[in-house]
Amino acid sequence: MEWIFGIITLFCAVFLLQMMVDFNLQRGALMPQVKQIHDVRARHEAEIEKVNRLAKEAEEQLATLDAEAHALSETIADLDAKIDAIGPSKAEP
């Protein structure tokens, strides 16, 4: 009876060893793909940061240009008011 438990123990040890070997083989096959995934993710994160920085710069430029456009429209309104104040007879030669 003891030899049956010994055989079962031996088969369990062989099965455990086989599982560990298979795990290491599959892990070795998957590691390059996992590394590639990490590299792609890091590259995309850098690109996303670059796009966010460019978008922020574009928003700042848009705000500056919007302020300049508002100032120019006020200048145009002031000049139109001055032209209207001069009158049509003095404005035309």
Side-chain angles (χ1 to χ4, degrees):
M1 189 71 168
E2 294 176 5
W3 59 274
I4 292 176
F5 290 119
I7 292 173
I8 291 173
T9 303
L10 180 66
F11 281 127
C12 286
V14 169
F15 181 69
L16 178 64
L17 181 64
Q18 181 183 2
M19 285 177 40
M20 291 173 56
V21 168
D22 287 342
F23 172 77
N24 285 330
L25 288 174
Q26 290 180 1
R27 182 175 179 251
L30 290 176
M31 287 309 291
Q33 294 174 353
V34 171
K35 185 180 181 314
Q36 182 182 9
I37 289 170
H38 287 297
D39 292 343
V40 168
R41 182 177 290 161
R43 186 174 54 230
H44 284 296
E45 287 176 357
E47 290 175 2
I48 288 172
E49 289 175 8
K50 180 181 176 182
V51 167
N52 287 339
R53 182 178 46 83
L54 290 174
K56 185 177 179 181
E57 289 175 5
E59 287 176 0
E60 290 171 356
Q61 288 177 353
L62 179 64
T64 303
L65 292 175
D66 189 35
E68 289 178 9
H70 183 68
L72 288 175
S73 64
E74 287 179 357
T75 304
I76 289 173
D78 289 342
L79 292 175
D80 284 341
K82 288 179 182 178
I83 289 173
D84 289 341
I86 292 173
S89 61
K90 294 181 181 176
E92 296 177 4

